[in-house]
Amino acid sequence: MLLKSPCSLSSPSLSSYCSSPLSFSIITSTTNPARPKMSSSSLSSLPQNRIVLGCGGISVDFLAAVNAYPNPDDKIRTTSLKVQGGGNVGNALTCAARLGLIPKLISKVADDAQGRSILEELEADGVDTSFFVVSKEGNSPFTYVIVDNQTKTRTCIHTPGYPPLLPDELSHSSLLSALNGARLAARRKIPILIDAERKREGLDDLLNFASYVVRSAKFPQAWTEAPSVAKALVSMLLRLPHIKFVIVTLGEDGSIMVERNGSGETMELEEIDVGELLESLYQKKNNDTTIPKCIPSPVMKLKASGIGTVSGRLFVGTAEKIPPSELIDNWVALCADMPSEKMVPFAAQVAAASCRALGARTGLPHRT
């Protein structure tokens, strides 16, 4: 289960239900160059029980690309415009559907043109929207997104939906129905991934239930008040004893992940300062390689001075190098139940495909 913002709500991990490693490649469609495809030799080995339940925010994105971000009181013209569904959990489950999983989404929209557009687009991609709450009044969420062609950045101006989704609107029977068919759910051992961008009310409570945590660049230090990202990740593993790994995404600089040692054996492990270990892994990066790579450490005692020590592995993931002429927008996806050494570059490659098209969903690959 993947928890997107606390409302608010929750949803299953893209990595929870694919039991076999995937071999993959990104292929540009000759009939639709903006719609890349992903081939997999192991499609037939995907388990039947691959349900992903998502819960969180969705929206309509009004994406306007401009030559340069406007100054105050400027009047400028767009170079291109796209209207598309958005929102972290909607984007993640769209990716999940295209990669062969069975996603179900719990969220809320109003019965307006934007709400209907949100539902239609998700359904067209294979996302089950039957558990949505649809308000007869109010407005559906929407976001103005200004994409700066010069700096390759985007600025989001979001208008929340109203009225907001309340816990009482989600009945226990509805939640059980959404999980129907998942054997993990029957045993009440559903993996939970939390993807949050910033500190919010109620987030700390949700983190205590997490199996996996994915964070934006600034969050770990803001949440832990640690002096560095590496120490912040160690701090999170110590404060959240149930999580198996925590990842911080760094855009073009890739990602850093700390994975807990699941064996519990620590007596013979070497102890090392986590900051020094991170630096040594960075020195192994090959800056001439354009394909995403994962650089792992062995299992060690990772020490963060003044914070504590955790047994586990540190990973540095590199991002795919995209020529400036192909870079449009960025979105990061975590997908597929693979060994960590394969999962990290896989996610980077899916993210890179998305970066080559305007909007969060346009470039997401389709499994072939």
Side-chain angles (χ1 to χ4, degrees):
M1 180 169 268
L2 167 70
L3 298 179
K4 300 306 280 189
S5 27
C7 143
S8 272
L9 305 168
S10 63
S11 90
S13 156
L14 304 189
S15 62
S16 296
Y17 299 101
C18 293
S19 62
S20 56
L22 307 177
S23 61
F24 58 90
S25 59
I26 300 295
I27 307 169
T28 301
S29 167
T30 55
T31 57
N32 185 355
R35 186 172 176 173
K37 296 180 180 180
M38 177 171 287
S39 65
S40 171
S41 61
S42 61
L43 176 61
S44 60
S45 65
L46 284 174
Q48 290 185 350
N49 182 38
R50 54 184 188 270
I51 295 172
V52 179
L53 175 63
C55 194
I58 40 74
S59 73
V60 171
D61 287 350
F62 296 89
L63 298 131
V66 297
N67 285 325
Y69 193 83
N71 295 313
D73 210 30
D74 272 358
K75 290 185 178 180
I76 62 173
R77 293 192 176 187
T78 63
T79 59
S80 61
L81 176 70
K82 181 184 287 290
V83 180
Q84 183 181 73
N88 287 353
V89 71
N91 299 337
L93 294 194
T94 295
C95 183
R98 294 183 186 183
L99 294 179
L101 305 183
I102 304 173
K104 303 182 180 186
L105 178 52
I106 299 173
S107 193
K108 184 174 184 177
V109 295
D111 186 15
D112 55 12
Q114 292 172 176
R116 290 188 288 273
S117 173
I118 288 170
L119 296 176
E120 290 170 2
E121 185 176 343
L122 289 169
E123 290 163 2
D125 264 308
V127 179
D128 184 348
T129 65
S130 60
F131 302 98
F132 263 67
V133 176
V134 179
S135 172
K136 294 182 179 180
E137 300 178 349
N139 66 275
S140 298
F142 61 93
T143 304
Y144 296 114
V145 184
I146 302 173
V147 180
D148 187 335
N149 292 332
Q150 187 177 65
T151 62
K152 306 301 181 183
T153 59
R154 50 93 176 110
T155 301
C156 301
I157 307 170
H158 180 63
T159 299
Y162 185 84
L165 179 58
L166 302 175
D168 290 346
E169 294 179 284
L170 300 175
S171 67
H172 182 67
S173 59
S174 176
L175 290 173
L176 289 179
S177 178
L179 289 166
N180 184 36
R183 288 171 295 178
L184 291 174
R187 295 198 297 266
R188 299 184 181 274
K189 293 182 179 179
I190 307 169
I192 297 175
L193 182 148
I194 293 184
D195 178 359
E197 297 173 338
R198 56 188 178 273
K199 296 174 70 173
R200 295 182 180 181
E201 182 181 356
L203 178 59
D204 287 5
D205 293 334
L206 288 180
L207 287 171
N208 289 321
F209 295 98
S211 310
Y212 312 98
V213 178
V214 180
R215 296 299 189 184
S216 59
K218 298 179 181 179
F219 184 91
Q221 287 179 263
W223 191 72
T224 63
E225 300 183 352
S228 69
V229 172
K231 289 185 176 182
L233 298 183
V234 170
S235 177
M236 292 186 70
L237 282 180
L238 291 170
R239 293 171 60 176
L240 302 169
H242 299 298
I243 63 174
K244 299 177 182 179
F245 66 65
V246 57
I247 300 176
V248 58
T249 58
L250 303 171
E252 65 181 357
D253 293 324
S255 61
I256 304 170
M257 180 173 88
V258 177
E259 179 182 63
R260 192 186 304 276
N261 177 20
S263 69
E265 298 179 4
T266 62
M267 295 296 294
E268 304 299 325
L269 296 179
E270 178 185 354
E271 183 173 289
I272 187 170
D273 179 83
V274 68
E276 294 178 5
L277 179 60
L278 178 61
E279 184 60 32
S280 70
L281 295 182
Y282 272 135
Q283 291 176 3
K284 296 180 181 179
K285 290 174 62 174
N286 182 353
N287 293 324
D288 296 327
T289 301
T290 59
I291 300 173
K293 299 290 185 181
C294 177
I295 306 169
S297 77
V299 178
M300 309 179 79
K301 291 181 181 179
L302 307 176
K303 180 181 178 181
S305 298
I307 296 173
T309 302
V310 67
S311 170
R313 292 198 295 171
L314 182 67
F315 297 81
V316 167
T318 64
E320 181 170 335
K321 290 186 178 180
I322 304 174
S325 60
E326 298 180 24
L327 183 60
I328 304 296
D329 193 5
N330 73 42
W331 179 78
V332 178
L334 172 68
C335 187
D337 187 14
M338 304 176 182
S340 298
E341 293 87 344
K342 293 184 178 181
M343 177 187 66
V344 172
F346 177 88
Q349 192 170 15
V350 174
S354 179
C355 290
R356 288 181 163 89
L358 182 63
R361 302 181 189 175
T362 307
L364 290 176
H366 293 251
R367 185 185 296 279
T368 59

